[in-house]
Amino acid sequence: MIINYLKIALRNIWKTRLHSFITITGLATGIACCILIVLFVKDEWTFDKFHDKADRIYRAWVFENYGEDEQFFNTTTPYPLGPALKENFKDVMAYVTYNQMPQSITVGVDNYNEIVTVVGEYFFDSFDFSPIYGRLNGALADKNNVVITSGLAQKLFGVDNAVGETLQMQIGDEQRTFNIKAVVENPPTNSSFQFGILISDLNNTDLFSERMLSSWYNVQAETYIVLRPGTSAESLEKKFPDMMKQILGEDYVEGQYNVGLQPLTDIHLNTEMPTGIAPVSDPQYAYILSAIALLILVLGSINFVTLTISRSVNRSKEVGVRKVIGAKRKQLIVQFLSEAVVTVSVACLLGLVIAWFGLPLFNELAARTLVLEVNMFNTLVVVCLLLIIGVLAGSYPALILSRFSPVTIFK
């Protein structure tokens, strides 16, 4: 019976080829636009969530309040903050400093201007970036070691595997040679950490003055901490005033120097916090894009349903004939619904094809690396679209036309 319904559905689609082409391509275009926008919005909402420890990683912030016109709120922090948090609280498993600065890199006789990222030794223990060549364990334990991305390896050396190669950088007053210990994949676009070359923060003593590295009133790098499982960030923050009182001593005034924590997954879409090294996006854009995607889909669905209903009126004689030869109303309902679902399925497949071929251009325009994957989320979205639009499109002919009396139709 089901095979018979499918045959009839395909036969009707072929019989009205022009009408079917207009309805299917219109709906497919709307579905393709909706898929691309949904991928972008999903990418926004999943920023930094690919790290295994994402729910336990926090970025520290500092708020200095010296009066109405002297308030300094920063998500870049003093260098002593990370070691102080690790030393004073056993719930802090590790800390990582993260800083970026422009540097001139020399490879052979060629010079390149690149952004060099200076990170702590436990950067790769805290954050998940996939290695391609070399080993990340201990890669930044030496101040003369570097880790680069595959994209930069191609740019500097013309090969993917640049492990064992060397490059020169000006560190302080010295031109130093660095050894490439590992090559990692380019950071995903939904990561707050965008880098090409990483060096150890052991170089900080050559990059900054002793005063900068020891002062609590100079902010320079971002500080990230990893909490032990089961630790509450809120309860930990309540202990920070006592730590600062002990560290600052006589300079401490209650309420003047405040330290807090921001969840890693909150950074990208929180416009209430000061912008750090990574740019911040307004979450309203994600809401607006979601509304646009829904509007496009609704308009495409309304157009599809309207055209389907207009065509179904011409099938009243078919309904009359089928009823005369013994077709039940339930069978007619199933037939019309199955035809609508088959038509929507074709539109969904065409929409996926359009989205697939349009994704590279969309990525270029949006500066993203979105991927159209076959996973539970995407499959669920397509199935829901198929069922909802199919039922809407087939409900009128299924419920109205199937109710007609054969005598009335033939008269």
Side-chain angles (χ1 to χ4, degrees), residues 226-238:
V226 183
L227 301 183
R228 297 187 186 279
T231 301
S232 170
E234 290 76 12
S235 61
L236 183 63
E237 284 181 312
K238 295 178 181 178

Side-chain angles (χ1 to χ4, degrees), residues 6-317:
L6 292 176
K7 287 182 179 179
I8 296 173
L10 294 174
R11 188 181 304 154
N12 284 322
I13 291 175
W14 181 251
K15 184 179 178 180
T16 56
R17 293 186 291 274
L18 179 60
H19 188 281
S20 299
F21 175 79
I22 295 173
T23 56
I24 290 174
T25 52
L27 181 59
T29 304
I31 290 175
C33 294
C34 183
I35 289 173
L36 293 176
I37 294 175
V38 167
L39 287 176
F40 181 86
V41 172
K42 180 188 175 186
D43 192 67
E44 284 284 281
W45 286 106
T46 56
F47 242 76
D48 297 315
K49 292 184 179 180
F50 62 92
H51 302 291
D52 289 339
K53 303 183 183 71
D55 59 333
R56 296 190 285 122
I57 299 177
Y58 293 80
R59 179 175 68 174
W61 52 261
V62 173
F63 177 62
E64 299 175 63
N65 184 7
Y66 303 109
E68 184 176 351
D69 297 326
E70 293 186 276
Q71 297 179 337
F72 307 96
F73 191 13
N74 293 288
T75 50
T76 51
T77 55
Y79 274 109
L81 180 59
L85 293 174
K86 179 68 172 66
E87 181 181 346
N88 286 275
F89 304 106
K90 62 180 181 180
D91 290 329
V92 178
M93 289 182 58
Y95 75 91
V96 175
T97 56
Y98 182 85
N99 195 11
Q100 290 186 331
M101 59 189 65
Q103 287 284 351
S104 177
I105 297 176
T106 303
V107 178
V109 296
D110 298 320
N111 293 319
Y112 303 89
N113 292 319
E114 298 292 335
I115 299 297
V116 173
T117 303
V118 187
V119 297
E121 179 182 355
Y122 296 101
F123 180 78
F124 289 113
D125 294 329
S126 305
F127 304 99
D128 299 308
F129 294 100
S130 303
I132 303 176
Y133 303 103
R135 297 180 58 185
L136 296 180
N137 186 22
L140 296 177
D142 190 298
K143 64 191 302 183
N144 292 322
N145 291 345
V146 297
V147 175
I148 65 175
T149 61
S150 58
L152 191 62
Q154 277 288 345
K155 178 180 178 179
L156 299 182
F157 303 99
V159 296
D160 292 326
N161 187 1
V163 174
E165 300 285 351
T166 60
L167 53 84
Q168 289 74 42
M169 272 191 291
Q170 184 74 27
I171 302 296
D173 299 327
E174 181 185 2
Q175 182 80 1
R176 289 225 311 265
T177 299
F178 288 83
N179 304 305
I180 299 175
K181 288 297 182 180
V183 177
V184 298
E185 292 181 357
N186 295 326
T189 52
N190 63 340
S191 170
S192 294
F193 304 100
Q194 297 296 323
F195 56 85
I197 179 170
L198 298 168
I199 65 174
S200 171
D201 63 356
L202 296 173
N203 292 284
N204 283 343
T205 54
D206 300 319
L207 292 169
F208 306 106
S209 66
E210 176 62 28
R211 180 179 180 182
M212 173 67 75
L213 295 176
S214 60
S215 173
W216 281 88
Y217 299 98
N218 288 320
V219 295
Q220 181 69 29
E222 292 183 339
T223 301
Y224 293 85
I225 63 172
V226 183
L227 301 183
R228 297 187 186 279
T231 301
S232 170
E234 290 76 12
S235 61
L236 183 63
E237 284 181 312
K238 295 178 181 178
K239 303 175 184 178
F240 289 169
D242 292 335
M243 178 191 72
M244 296 310 305
K245 182 177 181 180
Q246 181 180 358
I247 292 174
L248 297 180
E250 296 180 355
D251 294 333
Y252 179 79
V253 177
E254 186 174 357
Q256 275 192 354
Y257 201 102
N258 305 280
V259 178
L261 300 175
Q262 180 186 16
L264 173 66
T265 54
D266 179 64
I267 293 175
H268 181 66
L269 293 176
N270 190 341
T271 56
E272 296 181 358
M273 299 290 291
T275 302
I277 295 175
V280 175
S281 178
D282 194 330
Q284 290 187 0
Y285 296 150
Y287 294 128
I288 293 172
L289 286 173
S290 299
I292 292 174
L294 182 61
L295 180 61
I296 291 174
L297 185 60
V298 169
L299 291 176
S301 301
I302 291 174
N303 179 65
F304 177 80
V305 172
T306 302
L307 292 174
T308 302
I309 290 175
S310 67
R311 187 180 64 177
S312 66
V313 175
N314 298 325
R315 301 181 63 183
S316 58
K317 290 183 181 180

